[in-house]
Amino acid sequence: MPTTTIPNDTLIRQIVDTLQTLAGPHPGFRPVHAKGIVCSGTFRPSAEAAGISRAPHFAGAPVPATIRFANSSGNPEVPDGAPGVRSIAVKFLLPDGKSADILANSVEGFVARNPEEFLEFLRSQLPDPKTGKPDPEALPRFLAGHAAAQAFVGRLMKKPIPASYAQAVYHAEHAFRFTAKDGQSRFGRYRFIPQAGEAQIAPEEAGKRAPDFLRQELESRLRGGAVTFRLMLQLAAAGDPTDDVTALWPEDRPLVELGRLEIAGVSPRSAADERKLIFDPTNRTDGIDLSADPILLARSAAYAISYERRTRGA
């Protein structure tokens, strides 16, 4: 089992404060992934899933799920055609009344190895009090000294805009340890692959579309039937880093299908759900354990601070 370190509360609050400053004043919204849509669906595990983990949602019976798609911006009014990361968050509703979450993004990896590095990255984008604008040299200077961050930004800049939330591949950044009933354990990273295949549009075309075209497209698509994703697990090989969220594993690592996520429709309470739901990658169940990834270990504390603020309209 990995040794977990309690995140520094002051550091986590500084991260949330900086995210909110960068997003601008949007009381009641998340400081990132502010604009989203909540859906309901069902997860159906594969025959192979139980051999990977004894987690109850991999045991064989379907379980209900709550799904949220979102843009990465902290501005809830951001146009859907704006460049950036898209995300999926899934809450599996388990038979014992508890839940387990998966969060995944449309770009693989992350920009920082630890909370300290992430705060440095965020602060490099803050406006200078004298000019009201970011120092144009600050972010390039940070990236020049952090090769993994530079690689992540490079991947992001090359990523076209998805034509649909339902037609993007989503990568979970963090590794988890999965343990089966026989006690065998292995590390893996989740990946959602759309049954409909990927579809992308150029930024110039995306900029011409309606500000909410991703939501409108998803609502229209769901009226014609369920949207399906295959939940895959990329298995680590010996020596693959499991505590570094910036390190990508080679693409030749095996993928095992854990099951299928069938999204049936948009929640009739989507707007209210937006405010009350927390999706936390550390929220897991027996058979799934955390790695020693310091970014993963910090996220729960950050989400708790963010939730407390938005529920009181801050």
Side-chain angles (χ1 to χ4, degrees):
M1 294 290 294
T3 300
T4 58
T5 302
I6 298 174
N8 180 291
D9 183 72
T10 300
L11 174 63
I12 302 305
R13 289 185 181 276
Q14 289 173 337
I15 289 173
V16 177
D17 289 344
T18 308
L19 286 168
Q20 287 189 309
T21 299
L22 291 170
H26 302 290
F29 287 91
R30 293 165 170 82
V32 288
H33 301 273
K35 181 182 182 181
I37 180 170
V38 178
C39 302
S40 59
T42 302
F43 176 71
R44 303 181 189 279
S46 69
E48 294 76 27
I52 297 292
S53 171
R54 60 178 179 255
H57 51 309
F58 297 149
V63 297
T66 300
I67 304 98
R68 182 177 190 260
F69 294 99
N71 294 318
S72 62
S73 173
N75 177 4
E77 303 301 323
V78 66
D80 283 352
V85 176
R86 304 308 188 277
S87 65
I88 186 173
V90 181
K91 187 176 292 294
F92 302 90
L93 307 176
L94 306 180
D96 61 2
K98 297 180 180 179
S99 63
D101 297 349
I102 297 177
L103 285 72
N105 291 326
S106 60
V107 178
E108 194 172 7
F110 194 61
V111 75
R113 289 186 175 88
N114 54 55
E116 294 82 1
E117 195 172 282
F118 186 44
L119 181 59
E120 186 182 353
F121 167 72
L122 294 175
R123 284 179 168 171
S124 73
Q125 302 167 66
L126 286 172
D128 185 316
K130 295 180 181 179
T131 65
K133 298 179 180 180
D135 176 356
E137 301 300 323
L139 181 56
R141 188 164 54 244
F142 172 85
L143 296 177
H146 298 82
Q150 192 171 51
F152 175 84
V153 172
R155 291 194 299 275
L156 176 60
M157 297 297 288
K158 294 176 183 177
K159 199 78 176 178
I161 311 299
S164 169
Y165 279 135
Q167 291 191 272
V169 174
Y170 298 96
H171 302 265
E173 305 103 312
H174 308 289
F176 294 86
R177 183 194 292 273
F178 298 83
T179 303
K181 286 184 178 180
D182 62 6
Q184 183 179 0
S185 291
R186 67 200 80 187
F187 279 96
R189 282 173 170 160
Y190 295 113
R191 185 179 301 180
F192 285 100
I193 297 180
Q195 187 69 27
E198 287 188 270
Q200 300 160 336
I201 52 178
E204 56 270 21
E205 171 60 27
K208 299 175 184 176
R209 298 202 176 183
D212 298 323
F213 83 86
L214 286 175
R215 180 190 186 100
Q216 294 165 0
E217 194 281 339
L218 182 63
E219 289 173 333
S220 175
R221 183 184 292 259
L222 286 169
R223 285 194 288 270
V227 165
T228 302
F229 285 88
R230 298 166 66 205
L231 176 58
M232 311 298 293
L233 191 69
Q234 183 187 32
L235 298 175
D240 286 340
T242 59
D243 60 353
D244 183 353
V245 71
T246 69
L248 308 189
W249 298 342
E251 273 300 309
D252 64 0
R253 297 296 182 259
L255 287 174
V256 177
E257 184 170 335
L258 296 178
R260 305 217 169 193
L261 178 66
E262 298 172 359
I263 303 170
V266 175
S267 168
R269 304 176 304 280
S270 182
D273 292 343
E274 286 279 303
R275 301 297 180 94
K276 70 179 183 180
L277 283 169
I278 296 179
F279 294 91
D280 180 346
T282 70
N283 178 38
R284 77 269 183 224
T285 186
D286 179 55
I288 305 171
D289 291 298
L290 304 181
S291 66
D293 177 350
I295 290 287
L296 173 62
L297 302 178
R299 287 179 72 170
S300 187
Y303 292 161
I305 294 168
S306 172
Y307 180 77
E308 186 275 331
R309 291 182 182 181
R310 78 171 187 263
T311 52
R312 60 179 170 84

